[in-house]
Amino acid sequence: MSISILFFGQLTDITGCSQLKMDHVEDTDQLNAVLTDQYPLLAQTKYVIAINKKIIRTKVALSQEVEVALLPPFSGG
């Protein structure tokens, strides 16, 4: 199973990329754990997770070829 992960704003600075693919991640809790292990500064940063362009607030199972986006806080004007 492969998922696409997109990073935006300051999260691209923390990870050093705007997109990556990850295999063998079952749910969003495991995804968060893997990402914060790889990029420790993510643990200190606020962001929300969107799956297939829908923001989620709870643990969600990830299926094959799902697109995940990590979105930092933003303001509009």
Side-chain angles (χ1 to χ4, degrees):
M1 176 178 78
S2 178
I3 60 170
S4 295
I5 305 165
L6 305 174
F7 300 99
F8 294 91
Q10 66 188 10
L11 302 178
T12 60
D13 295 333
I14 291 170
T15 61
C17 62
S18 61
Q19 180 177 352
L20 63 89
K21 290 227 182 240
M22 191 172 288
D23 295 320
H24 310 295
V25 179
E26 295 181 19
D27 57 47
T28 52
D29 285 354
Q30 184 183 16
L31 175 66
N32 262 329
V34 169
L35 288 174
T36 55
D37 187 49
Q38 257 186 300
Y39 308 103
L41 285 177
L42 282 180
Q44 302 168 15
T45 306
K46 291 186 180 192
Y47 58 88
V48 295
I49 297 175
I51 298 177
N52 293 333
K53 300 181 181 179
K54 182 179 178 186
I55 292 176
I56 56 110
R57 305 258 185 232
T58 59
K59 178 180 170 181
V60 174
L62 299 174
S63 60
Q64 189 169 351
E65 298 305 322
V66 70
E67 182 180 83
V68 177
L70 274 60
L71 308 168
F74 59 92
S75 61

